[in-house]
Amino acid sequence: MEKNENLMEKLVSLCKRRGFVYQGSEIYGGLAGTWDYGPYGVALKNNIKNLWWQKFVTDREDMFGLDGAILMNGKVWEASGHVGGFADPMTECVKCHKRFRADQVGEKCPDCGGAFGPVRQFNMMFKTQIGAVEDSSATVYLRPETAQAIFVNFKNIVDSFHPKLPFGIAQIGKAFRNEITPRDFLFRVREFEQMEIEYFVKPDEWEKNFALLQEEIKDYFKQVGVTFSDISELEVPAEDRAHYSKRTIDFEFEYPFGRKELCGLAYRTDYDLSQHTGASGQDLRYFDEAGGEKFIPHVIEPSLGVDRVVLALLISAYTEDELGGEKRAYLKFNYQMAPIKVAVFPLLKNKPELVEKAKEIYLALKKEISSVAFDDNGNIGKRYRRQDEIGTPYCVTIDFDTLGENPELKDTVTIRDRDTGSQERVKVSELTQFFKDKN
Ligand code: GAP
């Protein structure tokens, strides 16, 4: 399908209609830069996160999981450089007083045509107070990246597990940024999730490990089902790199609103561990038994925004075609990513014998396969359309032949394929295996 202008509108509306994503605080008029994931959105996001965790943590021997606190001692962010430097250039319209990112607007306000005031640096960290006393010693920040929890736990992991270099610490969790202009649905939000790895290496082995992780990221996107030809790699020039990075590759995706960053891969050198060594007074060096020396390892960091992967996958999966002479829209998720793998219907909702049999088959399938739905709302055509929009790869219908009206077809059901609309008759006893083979 050609990506058209209305694609974002269509996606936002489908996501709301079908229970993927709702506007944050919607009944109060919303809160800019926040979105709430509904039942199918949570399922999709979990599939994206689970695949990442399985691929980068569970299936490997050199990765350690972590789930650090969102609130951290304020000194962490001073040492990391975020208090001093995690800022975007901001400008304000002198007429309507709307604020914009200075690097994203022209000379006049896009809303009212007014002139802009001077550009100033705006720190993007959300500040809050801890405890009952409101003084500066009680100031803490909502973390703007999950990475720092990994650096401050480096010594804990080394002391508990004695890993050999290279090894990584991985974390999935919320991050918060007070973006000046949140926009483009899930793309630029103020509260989002990151999947990050800090991969610790010997200083002279960073290039080799950078290249290995670069390939793994590409492989992950292939498995998720993001349109691979719409991903490109950008070597970020030195002047655009974060303060800690000596090399960064941005993986960009062709979103309908332009080619934009999907995730990043950075060589953070020994910057963070050195900074925390200096600020905390703790010895964060690693003792290399083979070489008999202590040194601060260097770090390669793949950092993926979960919400940007969700959006790229929704865009990749959204398909319009004609089936049986009718136009339709559907989400072409692969089996592993689909929030619902199989939907089970009774042909008619007002025939108790059909509903009972359908429920029995549904419950049996549910024990064997995760994410099976029972759907008896509306007529069969409406159910297919709903399941197509949810991205359900297979629908199973229980009809009178299942019950034995045609004795030759007793205990068989029809399975309808989402992409082709084609149907086949399969024995109930072979259903589970049928879906297991598709996975
Ligand atoms: N620890 C490194 C780091 O945080 P980053 O490039 O600032 O690097 C990493 O962010 C990833 O987090 C981005 O590639 C993007 O996927 C995601 N991300 C960053 N800001 C975001 C925002 N405002 N909304 C959604 N995702 C965001």
Side-chain angles (χ1 to χ4, degrees):
M1 187 201 61
E2 277 301 304
K3 286 192 175 141
N4 59 48
E5 279 172 26
N6 300 331
L7 179 56
M8 289 308 292
E9 255 170 59
K10 289 180 190 170
L11 264 185
V12 173
S13 140
L14 185 154
C15 282
K16 179 176 160 67
R17 188 168 62 247
R18 294 299 178 209
F20 281 89
V21 183
Y22 307 115
Q23 190 186 4
S25 313
E26 189 177 0
I27 63 167
Y28 288 101
L31 179 69
T34 66
W35 295 91
D36 296 338
Y37 285 83
Y40 294 135
V42 181
L44 182 64
K45 197 150 82 132
N46 283 342
N47 292 342
I48 285 170
K49 291 193 284 186
N50 290 343
L51 176 64
W52 186 87
W53 194 262
Q54 185 193 333
K55 180 174 173 54
F56 287 100
V57 184
T58 326
D59 285 355
R60 296 178 60 135
E61 290 176 3
D62 57 347
M63 293 283 189
F64 297 84
L66 184 76
D67 185 7
I70 286 173
L71 298 177
M72 302 178 79
N73 190 311
K75 289 178 185 160
V76 170
W77 305 108
E78 281 166 27
S80 67
H82 286 80
V83 171
F86 193 60
D88 271 346
M90 184 178 73
T91 184
E92 187 175 316
C93 168
V94 292
K95 207 164 136 199
C96 71
H97 299 289
K98 278 222 172 101
R99 290 173 171 181
F100 297 91
R101 253 181 66 175
D103 56 341
Q104 287 177 351
V105 283
E107 290 186 352
K108 298 277 175 198
C109 172
D111 281 12
C112 74
F116 285 122
V119 174
R120 60 191 176 91
Q121 290 301 313
F122 172 76
N123 194 297
M124 289 203 288
M125 283 197 294
F126 281 102
K127 253 189 212 172
T128 188
Q129 299 289 129
I130 213 157
V133 187
E134 287 201 14
D135 62 26
S136 63
S137 66
T139 298
V140 290
Y141 302 93
L142 300 187
R143 64 183 181 199
E145 62 169 8
T146 63
Q148 295 305 323
I150 296 179
F151 293 122
V152 303
N153 278 290
F154 170 75
K155 190 171 170 349
N156 283 333
I157 300 279
V158 169
D159 290 349
S160 306
F161 297 92
H162 310 287
K164 297 257 171 308
L165 288 178
F167 71 91
I169 305 178
Q171 179 169 221
I172 299 179
K174 288 264 181 172
F176 303 83
R177 294 184 190 178
N178 198 358
E179 296 283 353
I180 299 165
T181 43
R183 58 167 77 173
D184 298 323
F185 194 25
L186 303 171
F187 180 79
R188 190 174 301 288
V189 288
R190 291 187 167 130
E191 176 176 343
F192 55 100
E193 266 184 290
Q194 289 185 318
M195 306 186 278
E196 297 201 301
I197 295 167
E198 304 307 320
Y199 198 68
F200 300 96
V201 302
K202 291 183 179 165
D204 60 351
E205 292 184 353
W206 77 266
E207 277 165 307
K208 180 176 85 184
N209 286 294
F210 191 98
L212 287 172
L213 285 165
Q214 190 178 355
E215 290 311 305
E216 288 295 305
I217 292 174
K218 287 191 252 186
D219 196 49
Y220 170 72
F221 284 125
K222 281 186 192 154
Q223 283 176 259
V224 169
V226 173
T227 308
F228 197 68
S229 53
D230 283 346
I231 295 180
S232 48
E233 290 165 72
L234 172 79
E235 185 74 48
V236 180
E239 62 274 21
D240 294 338
R241 288 199 293 259
H243 57 281
Y244 48 71
S245 175
K246 269 222 173 120
R247 183 181 180 198
T248 298
I249 286 184
D250 278 351
F251 289 79
E252 297 190 314
F253 181 72
E254 295 286 347
Y255 293 96
F257 41 86
R259 185 189 295 174
K260 298 263 163 80
E261 181 182 336
L262 172 59
C263 75
L265 177 67
Y267 169 40
R268 284 182 90 129
T269 68
D270 59 354
Y271 175 83
D272 299 87
L273 287 181
S274 298
Q275 289 291 109
H276 289 306
T277 300
S280 68
Q282 300 276 326
D283 184 358
L284 300 181
R285 286 176 301 169
Y286 173 91
F287 178 61
D288 179 34
E289 277 176 26
E293 49 163 357
K294 274 188 166 185
F295 60 90
I296 294 191
H298 282 218
V299 170
I300 314 293
E301 179 197 63
S303 175
L304 284 77
V306 180
D307 310 76
R308 287 195 188 175
V309 180
V310 171
L311 182 56
L313 177 55
L314 284 168
I315 290 163
S316 303
Y318 185 87
T319 311
E320 287 175 347
D321 68 1
E322 245 182 62
L323 195 65
E326 268 188 46
K327 284 199 164 138
R328 67 159 181 169
Y330 68 105
L331 291 174
K332 202 172 177 170
F333 294 133
N334 64 35
Y335 189 87
Q336 201 178 357
M337 287 301 117
I340 297 292
K341 319 291 183 206
V342 185
V344 179
F345 313 153
L347 179 67
L348 300 169
K349 140 185 211 175
N350 55 359
K351 296 283 174 198
E353 62 275 33
L354 284 180
V355 174
E356 201 180 311
K357 189 71 187 167
K359 273 265 157 77
E360 183 191 312
I361 291 172
Y362 158 71
L363 290 172
L365 262 184
K366 208 170 156 60
K367 276 195 193 138
E368 300 288 332
I369 298 168
S370 66
S371 318
V372 182
F374 182 84
D375 192 350
D376 63 358
N377 262 325
N379 63 33
I380 203 107
K382 279 200 176 134
R383 292 181 214 159
Y384 282 150
R385 270 199 295 283
R386 177 164 50 245
Q387 295 301 331
D388 282 348
E389 283 200 335
I390 294 166
T392 308
Y394 300 103
C395 293
V396 169
T397 303
I398 284 78
D399 58 18
F400 293 106
D401 288 339
T402 316
L403 303 179
E405 198 168 278
N406 175 350
E408 279 180 22
L409 296 178
K410 188 170 178 341
D411 288 327
T412 64
V413 291
T414 46
I415 299 181
R416 183 253 196 190
D417 180 286
R418 175 196 64 204
D419 300 350
T420 60
S422 66
Q423 305 197 2
E424 62 181 301
R425 209 98 204 158
V426 173
K427 284 187 185 151
V428 173
S429 57
E430 290 169 8
L431 262 186
T432 306
Q433 199 51 49
F434 178 93
F435 296 120
K436 286 192 171 160
D437 290 346
K438 299 283 179 187
N439 190 358

Coordinates of all heavy atoms in Angstrom, one line a residue, residues 143-191:
R143 N 13.2 9.9 35.6 CA 14.3 9.6 34.8 C 14.0 9.8 33.3 O 13.0 9.4 32.8 CB 14.8 8.1 34.9 CG 13.7 7.1 34.5 CD 14.2 5.7 34.8 NE 13.2 4.7 34.4 CZ 13.2 3.5 34.8 NH1 14.0 3.0 35.6 NH2 12.2 2.6 34.3
P144 N 15.0 10.5 32.6 CA 14.8 10.8 31.2 C 15.3 9.6 30.3 O 15.1 9.6 29.1 CB 15.6 12.0 30.9 CG 16.7 12.0 31.9 CD 16.1 11.2 33.1
E145 N 16.0 8.7 30.9 CA 16.5 7.5 30.2 C 16.6 6.4 31.3 O 16.9 6.7 32.4 CB 17.8 7.7 29.5 CG 19.0 8.1 30.4 CD 20.4 8.1 29.8 OE1 20.5 7.9 28.6 OE2 21.4 8.2 30.5
T146 N 16.5 5.1 30.8 CA 16.6 4.1 31.8 C 18.1 3.7 32.1 O 18.4 3.1 33.1 CB 15.9 2.8 31.3 OG1 16.5 2.3 30.1 CG2 14.4 3.0 31.1
A147 N 18.9 4.2 31.2 CA 20.3 3.8 31.2 C 21.0 4.0 32.5 O 21.8 3.2 33.0 CB 21.1 4.6 30.1
Q148 N 20.7 5.1 33.2 CA 21.5 5.5 34.4 C 21.3 4.4 35.5 O 22.2 4.2 36.4 CB 21.2 6.9 34.9 CG 21.7 8.0 33.9 CD 23.1 7.9 33.6 OE1 24.0 7.5 34.4 NE2 23.5 8.2 32.3
A149 N 20.1 3.8 35.6 CA 19.9 2.8 36.6 C 20.8 1.6 36.4 O 21.3 0.9 37.3 CB 18.4 2.3 36.6
I150 N 21.2 1.4 35.1 CA 22.1 0.3 34.8 C 23.5 0.7 35.2 O 24.2 -0.1 35.9 CB 22.1 0.1 33.3 CG1 20.7 -0.5 32.9 CG2 23.2 -0.9 32.9 CD1 20.5 -0.8 31.4
F151 N 23.9 1.9 35.0 CA 25.3 2.3 35.4 C 25.5 2.3 36.9 O 26.5 1.8 37.4 CB 25.7 3.7 34.8 CG 25.8 3.7 33.3 CD1 25.0 4.6 32.6 CD2 26.7 2.9 32.7 CE1 25.1 4.6 31.2 CE2 26.8 2.9 31.3 CZ 26.0 3.7 30.5
V152 N 24.5 2.8 37.6 CA 24.6 2.8 39.1 C 24.5 1.4 39.7 O 24.9 1.2 40.9 CB 23.7 3.8 39.8 CG1 23.8 5.2 39.3 CG2 22.2 3.3 39.7
N153 N 24.0 0.4 38.9 CA 24.0 -1.0 39.4 C 25.1 -1.8 38.9 O 25.2 -3.0 39.1 CB 22.6 -1.6 39.1 CG 21.6 -1.2 40.1 OD1 21.7 -1.6 41.3 ND2 20.7 -0.4 39.8
F154 N 26.0 -1.2 38.1 CA 27.1 -2.0 37.5 C 27.9 -2.8 38.5 O 28.1 -4.0 38.4 CB 28.0 -1.0 36.7 CG 29.3 -1.6 36.2 CD1 29.3 -2.5 35.1 CD2 30.5 -1.4 36.9 CE1 30.5 -3.1 34.7 CE2 31.7 -2.0 36.5 CZ 31.7 -2.8 35.4
K155 N 28.2 -2.1 39.6 CA 29.1 -2.8 40.6 C 28.3 -3.9 41.3 O 28.8 -5.0 41.6 CB 29.5 -1.8 41.6 CG 30.6 -2.2 42.6 CD 31.1 -1.1 43.4 CE 31.9 -1.4 44.6 NZ 32.1 -2.7 45.0
N156 N 27.0 -3.7 41.5 CA 26.1 -4.7 42.1 C 26.1 -6.0 41.3 O 26.3 -7.1 41.8 CB 24.7 -4.3 42.3 CG 24.5 -3.3 43.5 OD1 25.3 -3.4 44.4 ND2 23.6 -2.4 43.4
I157 N 25.9 -5.8 40.0 CA 25.8 -7.0 39.1 C 27.2 -7.7 39.1 O 27.3 -8.9 39.1 CB 25.4 -6.6 37.7 CG1 24.0 -5.9 37.7 CG2 25.4 -7.7 36.7 CD1 22.8 -6.7 37.8
V158 N 28.3 -6.9 39.0 CA 29.6 -7.5 38.9 C 29.9 -8.3 40.2 O 30.3 -9.5 40.2 CB 30.7 -6.5 38.7 CG1 32.1 -7.1 38.9 CG2 30.6 -5.9 37.3
D159 N 29.5 -7.7 41.4 CA 29.8 -8.4 42.7 C 28.9 -9.7 42.8 O 29.3 -10.6 43.4 CB 29.5 -7.5 43.8 CG 30.6 -6.4 43.9 OD1 31.6 -6.5 43.2 OD2 30.4 -5.4 44.7
S160 N 27.6 -9.6 42.3 CA 26.8 -10.8 42.5 C 27.1 -11.9 41.5 O 26.9 -13.1 41.8 CB 25.3 -10.4 42.3 OG 24.9 -9.4 43.1
F161 N 27.4 -11.5 40.3 CA 27.5 -12.6 39.2 C 28.9 -12.8 38.6 O 29.1 -13.7 37.8 CB 26.5 -12.2 38.1 CG 25.1 -12.1 38.5 CD1 24.5 -11.0 39.0 CD2 24.3 -13.3 38.5 CE1 23.2 -10.9 39.4 CE2 23.0 -13.3 38.9 CZ 22.4 -12.1 39.4
H162 N 29.8 -11.9 38.9 CA 31.2 -12.1 38.4 C 31.3 -12.3 36.9 O 31.9 -13.3 36.5 CB 32.0 -13.2 39.1 CG 31.9 -13.0 40.6 ND1 32.5 -12.1 41.3 CD2 31.1 -13.7 41.5 CE1 32.2 -12.2 42.6 NE2 31.4 -13.1 42.8
P163 N 30.5 -11.5 36.1 CA 30.5 -11.8 34.6 C 31.9 -11.5 34.0 O 32.6 -10.6 34.5 CB 29.4 -10.9 34.1 CG 29.4 -9.8 35.1 CD 29.8 -10.3 36.5
K164 N 32.2 -12.2 32.9 CA 33.4 -11.9 32.1 C 33.0 -10.9 31.0 O 31.9 -11.0 30.5 CB 33.9 -13.2 31.4 CG 34.3 -14.3 32.4 CD 35.8 -14.4 32.4 CE 36.3 -15.3 33.5 NZ 35.8 -15.1 34.9
L165 N 33.9 -10.0 30.7 CA 33.6 -9.1 29.6 C 33.7 -9.8 28.3 O 34.6 -10.7 28.2 CB 34.7 -8.0 29.6 CG 34.6 -6.9 30.7 CD1 35.8 -5.9 30.6 CD2 33.3 -6.2 30.7
P166 N 32.9 -9.5 27.3 CA 31.9 -8.5 27.3 C 30.6 -9.1 27.9 O 30.3 -10.2 27.7 CB 31.7 -8.2 25.8 CG 32.0 -9.5 25.1 CD 33.1 -10.1 26.0
F167 N 29.8 -8.2 28.6 CA 28.5 -8.6 29.1 C 27.6 -7.3 29.1 O 28.1 -6.2 29.1 CB 28.6 -9.2 30.5 CG 28.9 -8.2 31.6 CD1 27.9 -7.6 32.2 CD2 30.2 -8.0 31.9 CE1 28.2 -6.7 33.3 CE2 30.5 -7.1 32.9 CZ 29.5 -6.4 33.6
G168 N 26.3 -7.6 29.1 CA 25.4 -6.5 29.1 C 24.4 -6.5 30.2 O 24.1 -7.6 30.8
I169 N 23.9 -5.3 30.5 CA 22.7 -5.3 31.5 C 21.6 -4.6 30.7 O 21.8 -3.6 30.1 CB 23.1 -4.4 32.7 CG1 24.4 -5.0 33.4 CG2 21.9 -4.4 33.7 CD1 24.9 -4.2 34.6
A170 N 20.4 -5.3 30.8 CA 19.3 -4.8 30.0 C 18.1 -4.4 30.9 O 17.9 -5.0 31.9 CB 18.8 -6.0 29.1
Q171 N 17.4 -3.5 30.4 CA 16.2 -3.0 31.1 C 15.2 -2.5 30.2 O 15.4 -1.8 29.2 CB 16.7 -1.9 32.1 CG 15.6 -1.3 32.9 CD 16.1 -0.3 34.0 OE1 15.5 -0.4 35.1 NE2 17.0 0.5 33.7
I172 N 13.9 -2.7 30.6 CA 12.8 -2.1 29.9 C 12.0 -1.3 31.0 O 11.8 -1.8 32.1 CB 11.8 -3.2 29.4 CG1 12.5 -4.1 28.4 CG2 10.6 -2.5 28.8 CD1 11.6 -5.2 27.8
G173 N 11.7 0.0 30.7 CA 11.0 0.7 31.7 C 10.6 2.1 31.2 O 11.0 2.5 30.1
K174 N 9.9 2.8 32.0 CA 9.4 4.1 31.6 C 10.5 5.2 31.7 O 11.4 5.1 32.5 CB 8.3 4.5 32.6 CG 7.0 3.8 32.4 CD 6.0 4.5 31.5 CE 4.7 3.7 31.4 NZ 3.6 4.4 30.7
A175 N 10.4 6.1 30.8 CA 11.2 7.3 30.8 C 10.3 8.5 30.5 O 9.3 8.4 29.9 CB 12.3 7.2 29.7
F176 N 10.8 9.7 31.0 CA 9.9 10.9 31.0 C 10.8 12.1 30.4 O 11.9 12.3 30.8 CB 9.4 11.2 32.4 CG 8.7 10.1 33.0 CD1 9.4 9.1 33.7 CD2 7.3 10.1 33.0 CE1 8.7 8.0 34.3 CE2 6.6 9.0 33.6 CZ 7.3 8.0 34.2
R177 N 10.2 12.8 29.5 CA 10.8 14.0 29.0 C 9.8 15.1 28.8 O 8.8 14.8 28.1 CB 11.6 13.7 27.6 CG 12.7 12.7 27.8 CD 13.5 12.5 26.6 NE 14.4 11.4 26.8 CZ 15.2 10.9 25.9 NH1 15.3 11.3 24.7 NH2 16.0 9.9 26.3
N178 N 10.1 16.2 29.3 CA 9.2 17.4 29.1 C 9.4 18.0 27.8 O 9.9 19.1 27.6 CB 9.4 18.4 30.3 CG 8.3 19.3 30.5 OD1 7.3 19.2 29.7 ND2 8.4 20.2 31.4
E179 N 9.0 17.2 26.7 CA 9.1 17.7 25.3 C 8.4 19.0 25.1 O 7.3 19.2 25.6 CB 8.6 16.6 24.4 CG 9.3 15.3 24.4 CD 10.6 15.3 23.6 OE1 10.9 16.3 23.0 OE2 11.3 14.2 23.7
I180 N 9.1 19.9 24.5 CA 8.4 21.2 24.2 C 7.2 21.1 23.3 O 6.2 21.7 23.6 CB 9.5 22.2 23.6 CG1 10.6 22.4 24.6 CG2 8.8 23.6 23.3 CD1 11.9 23.0 24.0
T181 N 7.4 20.3 22.3 CA 6.2 20.1 21.4 C 6.0 18.6 21.1 O 6.5 18.1 20.1 CB 6.5 20.8 20.0 OG1 7.8 20.6 19.6 CG2 6.2 22.3 20.1
P182 N 5.3 17.9 22.0 CA 5.0 16.5 21.7 C 4.1 16.5 20.5 O 3.3 17.4 20.2 CB 4.2 16.1 22.9 CG 3.7 17.3 23.6 CD 4.7 18.4 23.2
R183 N 4.3 15.5 19.6 CA 3.5 15.4 18.4 C 3.6 14.1 17.7 O 4.4 13.2 18.1 CB 4.1 16.5 17.4 CG 5.5 16.3 17.1 CD 6.0 17.1 15.9 NE 6.1 18.5 16.3 CZ 6.6 19.5 15.5 NH1 7.0 19.1 14.3 NH2 6.8 20.7 15.8
D184 N 2.8 13.9 16.7 CA 2.8 12.7 15.8 C 2.5 11.5 16.6 O 3.3 10.5 16.6 CB 4.2 12.6 15.1 CG 4.4 13.8 14.2 OD1 3.5 14.2 13.5 OD2 5.6 14.2 14.1
F185 N 1.4 11.5 17.3 CA 0.8 10.3 18.0 C 1.8 9.8 19.0 O 2.2 10.5 19.9 CB 0.4 9.3 16.9 CG -0.5 8.2 17.3 CD1 -1.3 8.3 18.4 CD2 -0.5 7.0 16.6 CE1 -2.2 7.3 18.8 CE2 -1.4 6.0 17.0 CZ -2.2 6.1 18.1
L186 N 2.2 8.5 18.8 CA 3.1 7.9 19.8 C 4.6 8.3 19.6 O 5.5 7.9 20.3 CB 3.0 6.4 19.7 CG 1.6 5.8 19.9 CD1 1.6 4.3 19.6 CD2 1.1 6.1 21.3
F187 N 4.9 9.1 18.5 CA 6.3 9.3 18.2 C 7.0 10.2 19.2 O 8.1 9.8 19.7 CB 6.4 10.0 16.8 CG 7.8 10.2 16.4 CD1 8.6 9.1 15.9 CD2 8.4 11.4 16.6 CE1 9.9 9.3 15.6 CE2 9.8 11.6 16.2 CZ 10.5 10.5 15.8
R188 N 6.5 11.3 19.5 CA 7.2 12.2 20.5 C 6.2 12.5 21.6 O 5.3 13.3 21.5 CB 7.6 13.5 19.8 CG 8.5 14.3 20.7 CD 9.1 15.6 20.0 NE 9.9 15.3 18.8 CZ 11.1 14.7 18.8 NH1 11.7 14.4 19.9 NH2 11.7 14.5 17.7
V189 N 6.4 11.8 22.7 CA 5.5 11.9 23.8 C 6.3 12.3 25.1 O 7.6 12.3 25.0 CB 4.8 10.5 24.1 CG1 3.8 10.3 23.0 CG2 5.8 9.4 24.1
R190 N 5.6 12.6 26.1 CA 6.3 13.0 27.4 C 6.6 11.8 28.3 O 7.4 11.9 29.2 CB 5.5 14.1 28.1 CG 5.5 15.4 27.2 CD 4.9 16.6 27.9 NE 5.2 17.8 27.3 CZ 4.3 18.7 26.9 NH1 3.0 18.6 27.2 NH2 4.7 19.8 26.3
E191 N 5.8 10.8 28.2 CA 6.0 9.6 29.0 C 6.1 8.4 28.0 O 5.1 8.2 27.2 CB 4.8 9.4 30.0 CG 4.9 8.1 30.7 CD 3.8 8.0 31.8 OE1 3.2 9.0 32.1 OE2 3.6 6.9 32.2

